[in-house]
Amino acid sequence: MNGALSTATIVAALLLAAWYLLRTALDRAPSRLDLIAAGVLGAFVAVLVVVAVAGLFDGSRPTDTGTFAGYLITTIGLVPTALILAKMEPTRWGNLILGIGCLVLPVLVLRLQQIASVTGA
Amino acid sequence: MPDQTPAEAVSRPRDAALGSGIGRVLLLVYGVFALSASARALVQISTHFGEAPLAYLLSAVAGLVYIAATVGLARGGPRGRLLALVSCTIELIGVLVIGTLSIVDSVAFPDDTVWSRFGSGYGYIPLVLPFIGLWWIWRRA
């Protein structure tokens, strides 16, 4: 796992989460900018996942490769899923969906780092 | 759906609304828990089932309950609503019973499930979620 990239993703996700929760509190539907920001975050996460997958082929694999792969799939799918749901929900709750997605993402990245750090044998 | 009779079309929006608004937020949260609980159970059962069979079977049950709740919310309609209602109720009983047992009788739970210690490993969200879910389903009755 790339440390700098992971940290940047976590920080970006938390900042966006604060923004989306504020927008929810102000009773605003996701604006074009809100949706684009989530899209950019999703692209960022995709890069993180691709780098992590590449790392599986030229380095020490995590002991729990299966779980690691499962978390990678969940991680890459989370933001796009939240984005689709938010697009279907043009109310304040759309922003809450994006906010929750951005709060779950750091947990997934932290778990990925935990699993990646255990490379026995 | 194009093949609905007019009566169904009239009654549909109110029930279909189960999956919109806050319902769509719940859909995401339940979806995340459906995935994490069942994936966790799958890994636990396939790699070291013998260590804590009871806890791992309960993990699997929790996963199925979350999947059922997600499907119920997503489907909407009278049947979807019933499915969501039943699974949220089982979820509430599950987190309260397993949460209490895991504290009182920790020997029976050598490894964690989603509902152990009232879901403390998941930020207590498993404890709060069924209340929000049931409130939402009743509100949409």
Side-chain angles (χ1 to χ4, degrees):
Chain A
M1 284 298 285
N2 186 310
L5 208 51
S6 304
T7 310
T9 308
I10 291 171
V11 171
L14 290 177
L15 287 175
L16 275 175
W19 170 251
Y20 291 133
L21 293 183
L22 179 71
R23 298 273 292 163
T24 307
L26 294 174
D27 199 4
R28 301 291 162 82
S31 67
R32 209 178 151 68
L33 185 71
D34 291 333
L35 296 172
I36 289 171
V40 171
L41 180 69
F44 213 77
V45 171
V47 172
L48 178 75
V49 169
V50 168
V51 170
V53 170
L56 286 179
F57 293 99
D58 64 285
S60 47
R61 287 194 183 195
T63 312
D64 214 342
T65 312
T67 308
F68 191 70
Y71 268 97
L72 281 178
I73 295 168
T74 312
T75 306
I76 204 169
L78 176 73
V79 176
T81 307
L83 192 54
I84 290 167
L85 283 171
K87 271 190 168 170
M88 289 162 75
E89 189 60 45
T91 65
R92 72 193 309 184
W93 308 117
N95 268 323
L96 185 57
I97 290 170
L98 293 174
I100 289 177
C102 287
L103 286 178
V104 174
L105 186 64
V107 178
L108 293 177
V109 175
L110 285 175
R111 281 291 291 148
L112 275 171
Q113 286 187 308
Q114 272 181 8
I115 300 165
S117 67
V118 184
T119 51
Chain B
M1 279 169 242
D3 56 348
Q4 276 178 344
T5 63
E8 277 172 335
V10 168
S11 68
R12 184 122 182 112
R14 194 194 61 177
D15 287 329
L18 189 69
S20 64
I22 297 175
R24 232 187 289 272
V25 181
L26 287 174
L27 201 56
L28 177 69
V29 181
Y30 270 99
V32 167
F33 271 94
L35 189 66
S36 52
S38 39
R40 174 179 201 155
L42 202 66
V43 169
Q44 287 174 331
I45 289 174
S46 62
T47 58
H48 44 271
F49 182 64
E51 283 174 30
L54 177 63
Y56 298 160
L57 280 177
L58 284 169
S59 277
V61 169
L64 289 176
V65 169
Y66 284 118
I67 290 172
T70 310
V71 171
L73 282 169
R75 273 193 47 157
R79 291 179 67 181
R81 187 178 172 276
L82 184 66
L83 182 61
L85 188 63
V86 170
S87 41
C88 281
T89 309
I90 297 174
E91 184 198 349
L92 178 62
I93 297 168
V95 72
L96 291 177
V97 171
I98 308 299
T100 311
L101 282 180
S102 63
I103 290 171
V104 175
D105 184 9
S106 56
V107 182
F109 292 87
D111 200 357
D112 276 354
T113 73
V114 183
W115 291 336
S116 293
R117 285 170 285 110
F118 302 109
S120 67
Y122 293 79
Y124 293 101
I125 295 167
L127 180 62
V128 182
L129 202 52
F131 287 102
I132 302 175
L134 285 172
W135 164 78
W136 175 248
I137 296 162
W138 279 118
R139 224 187 70 128
R140 289 279 144 167

